[in-house]
Amino acid sequence: MMDRCENCGDEYERLLSEEDDRSSAAEDQRNERTLHHRQPRPVDTGRRVAYGFGHVFNDITAAIWFSYTMVFMQNVVGIPSTTAGFLLFFGYAGQTVDAIATPFVGIMVDKFGKKKNWVLLGTVMEAISFPLIYYVWNLSIFVTTLIYICAILTFQIAWALVQISHLSLIPELTDLSLERGKLTSIRYVFTVSTNILMFIIAWLVFRGVRNNGNMGSLIGPNNSEKFQMLALIATTIGVFSAFIFHGLLKSPRNTNKKLMYRQNRQINFDKILQFCKNVHLYQVAIVFTTCKLLINIALIYIPLFINESAINESGTIASIPLVAYISSLITSIGVEYVKPYFKSDKTIFTIGSVISIFGSLLVFFNPNNELTYHYLCLAAVCFGSGSAITSVLSLSVTANLIGNDTDCGASIYSSVTFSDKLINGLVIIGIEFMKCTDLEKCSHYYRDVLAFSSGSLALIGLLVFLTIPKILIKATKSSSSHIVI
């Protein structure tokens, strides 16, 4: 009898649990219908500006990372080029770690939500680790290497946390595709403005140092304090911008808390799987990767090309990237005004790609004399303008791909950026391993790398972008899901 009573109690609890689940499911459906049918509202200017500040720390550290880390490791610390490339972009740390961390970051952000908190965590980790990368440690080789590995590991994971969390806020802030495009544009304007500020600071820090006629010796161990100062200034600006972001940007969407809790208990892997089966995801990933890799190649190898060229003033390693970003800022603002005159964004993307290809030709055919500086300035204008057009459009296409499926938005962004970071690492390590040690035999190595890589990437990105369906390229109404079920 006692056993039967206990069984009855268990059965009663089971029935109550099922009833509660049914009631909760019905409530969730009502809440979801309410959210789905609500009138989409545009994002006000204050929230757009506040959103732009959220990625400033990443932007300013990325500018230094891609432009000066290889120069710092090779010419200041004295690490061989192949080892520097292996350390930064493959092996123990660098881009590979960032690429591996990105999908896990996306899953964690989607599962636990509160994307602003993830941005905050990444900011704290970045502030601690980034200055350590640009300090010359007077310790044993083993201890010094271990410090660099730990600092770079922490920095790359933190960078991924901020990037994915910040990107995945776009679909949550608004349902309107046009507004998402504006958020993407403001994000890019902040990126460019931040880089302009950083390269002005870098120019002030590095100007006045000359190579005294010795090619390849523009930057050396005596410049270590300049790199340390640059890293500390970048960290200060980044932390201040993060405070503005967290103070001014209110949490997006007043979604029912119980619904949010129930959604965050379990990740929608079925929906993510549907995205993974969709060929459009891989098209978008290729376009995004080529756009990012093009500008990264330019940032990394323009300073190294300057160091091997006839240019003899160290301030040029900041002034030429500065020219690229000023042109990028002007273009990113102007492109919004010329868009209405074109029927399709494919035409605009084509123009941006052609401009980048022209820049690669200028690099290759530079005369390597006193005119080299002017050729590089014009090439920098082309790289900046071309990448501004293609980068903004590639991010807009990614946001349109996600549509209203914001519950897995971070996972989709992490999938797209995973290929970008992994291929970045493989390309850079390959370039450094192929470099010969005899400078007389490959005196124009970095010129050729800069010219052929940027031109090829612009062409590949253009060909793939032309195959993307129109529904993902331009939409003015509220975005819906674009996955193929």
Side-chain angles (χ1 to χ4, degrees):
M1 178 65 71
M2 290 291 294
D3 291 340
R4 284 199 299 272
C5 289
E6 290 177 359
N7 291 337
C8 290
D10 293 341
E11 181 67 16
Y12 180 71
E13 290 180 1
R14 185 183 66 81
L15 292 172
L16 284 178
S17 177
E18 290 179 355
E19 181 65 26
D20 181 64
D21 288 342
R22 285 193 295 270
S23 300
S24 298
E27 182 181 352
D28 290 349
Q29 289 177 0
R30 288 194 298 271
N31 288 325
E32 286 176 346
R33 284 196 298 269
T34 301
L35 291 171
H36 181 73
H37 289 99
R38 67 179 182 172
Q39 184 68 27
R41 295 181 180 179
V43 182
D44 60 80
T45 304
R47 295 181 76 192
R48 287 183 202 159
V49 173
Y51 174 77
F53 275 103
H55 205 254
V56 166
F57 203 174
N58 266 21
D59 294 330
I60 205 166
T61 54
I64 298 175
W65 175 261
F66 287 111
S67 294
Y68 302 125
T69 306
M70 290 292 286
V71 175
F72 174 75
M73 290 293 180
Q74 292 183 34
N75 296 21
V76 178
V77 182
I79 296 176
S81 60
T82 53
T83 306
F86 187 79
L87 176 64
L88 297 177
F89 298 100
F90 201 63
Y92 293 106
Q95 289 297 102
T96 303
V97 173
D98 195 1
I100 294 172
T102 296
F104 293 101
V105 168
I107 292 173
M108 294 295 290
V109 170
D110 279 336
K111 181 175 177 61
F112 296 104
K114 296 183 179 179
K115 296 176 174 60
K116 284 180 62 180
N117 292 348
W118 288 103
V119 174
L120 178 62
L121 176 61
T123 299
V124 172
M125 293 171 63
E126 237 174 310
I128 295 172
S129 60
F130 187 71
L132 300 180
I133 299 174
Y134 298 94
Y135 187 81
V136 179
W137 303 91
N138 296 318
L139 301 170
S140 65
I141 295 176
F142 175 78
V143 175
T144 300
T145 304
L146 186 62
I147 292 174
Y148 280 134
I149 290 173
C150 293
I152 295 173
L153 279 170
T154 305
F155 168 66
Q156 291 290 354
I157 294 172
W159 207 96
L161 274 173
V162 176
Q163 182 199 34
I164 298 303
S165 302
H166 191 258
L167 276 173
S168 59
L169 276 171
I170 294 178
E172 288 198 357
L173 286 168
T174 179
D175 294 325
L176 296 170
S177 176
L178 184 62
E179 289 296 314
R180 290 175 178 179
K182 290 180 180 179
L183 285 173
T184 301
S185 296
I186 197 71
R187 186 179 189 272
Y188 192 80
V189 167
F190 266 82
T191 296
V192 175
S193 302
T194 301
N195 280 274
I196 289 174
L197 174 63
M198 194 65 251
F199 284 117
I200 289 174
I201 295 171
W203 177 75
L204 293 172
V205 170
F206 287 113
R207 71 191 180 107
V209 180
R210 296 182 178 272
N211 63 5
N212 298 320
N214 298 320
M215 293 179 64
S217 61
L218 194 59
I219 299 295
N222 294 332
N223 302 119
S224 61
E225 291 183 358
K226 296 180 182 297
F227 286 92
Q228 295 165 18
M229 184 187 303
L230 202 61
L232 290 173
I233 292 173
T235 302
T236 303
I237 295 173
V239 170
F240 178 74
S241 300
F243 275 117
I244 296 177
F245 167 76
H246 287 280
L248 298 183
L249 183 67
K250 297 179 181 179
S251 299
R253 295 188 178 186
N254 295 321
T255 310
N256 182 275
K257 292 184 179 180
K258 185 175 181 181
L259 175 61
M260 285 287 292
Y261 170 75
R262 292 180 63 83
Q263 286 178 337
N264 290 335
R265 285 169 58 186
Q266 183 175 346
I267 300 173
N268 195 339
F269 285 108
D270 291 337
K271 188 179 292 184
I272 295 175
L273 183 61
Q274 292 295 334
F275 269 106
C276 292
K277 292 179 180 180
N278 186 4
V279 68
H280 301 330
L281 174 64
Y282 301 99
Q283 290 174 305
V284 170
I286 292 173
V287 172
F288 183 86
T289 299
T290 54
C291 293
K292 289 286 291 183
L293 186 54
L294 190 155
I295 192 61
N296 289 345
I297 289 287
L299 286 173
I300 294 167
Y301 289 109
I302 281 178
L304 290 171
F305 172 46
I306 291 172
N307 204 52
E308 73 175 14
S309 70
I311 299 174
N312 63 357
E313 216 286 317
S314 64
T316 55
I317 70 171
S319 62
I320 290 179
L322 177 60
V323 169
Y325 276 105
I326 291 176
S327 63
S328 185
L329 176 62
I330 296 172
T331 304
S332 60
I333 296 174
V335 73
E336 292 299 323
Y337 294 97
V338 301
K339 266 187 175 184
Y341 297 98
F342 294 91
K343 293 182 179 180
S344 173
D345 285 352
K346 289 186 177 181
T347 305
I348 303 175
F349 194 95
T350 301
I351 294 173
S353 300
V354 171
I355 292 174
S356 297
I357 293 172
F358 182 69
S360 67
L361 295 175
L362 287 171
V363 170
F364 184 76
F365 290 106
N366 88 88
N368 197 32
N369 54 30
E370 64 275 3
L371 295 176
T372 296
Y373 177 79
H374 302 289
Y375 270 72
L376 269 183
C377 282
L378 187 55
V381 170
C382 293
F383 288 140
S385 301
S387 63
I389 296 170
T390 57
S391 296
V392 169
L393 292 178
S394 67
L395 282 174
S396 297
V397 168
T398 308
N400 289 337
L401 177 68
I402 294 172
N404 286 330
D405 297 310
T406 57
D407 55 331
C408 57
S411 297
I412 302 307
Y413 274 115
S414 65
S415 300
V416 172
T417 57
F418 171 79
S419 61
D420 152 47
K421 294 167 183 177
L422 183 61
I423 293 175
N424 260 281
L426 294 174
V427 168
I428 299 305
I429 193 64
I431 289 172
E432 293 304 317
F433 267 111
M434 288 189 292
K435 181 186 176 184
C436 60
T437 55
D438 190 349
L439 293 178
E440 294 182 359
K441 293 181 179 179
C442 56
S443 58
H444 302 298
Y445 181 74
Y446 288 124
R447 180 205 67 180
D448 297 339
V449 165
L450 187 58
F452 287 109
S453 298
S454 57
S456 301
L457 289 167
L459 182 60
I460 293 171
L462 173 60
L463 294 176
V464 177
F465 191 85
L466 293 176
T467 65
I468 295 177
K470 291 182 179 180
I471 191 174
L472 293 179
I473 296 203
K474 181 177 272 188
T476 57
K477 297 181 180 179
S478 178
S479 296
S480 58
S481 176
H482 297 303
I483 60 173
V484 178
I485 305 296

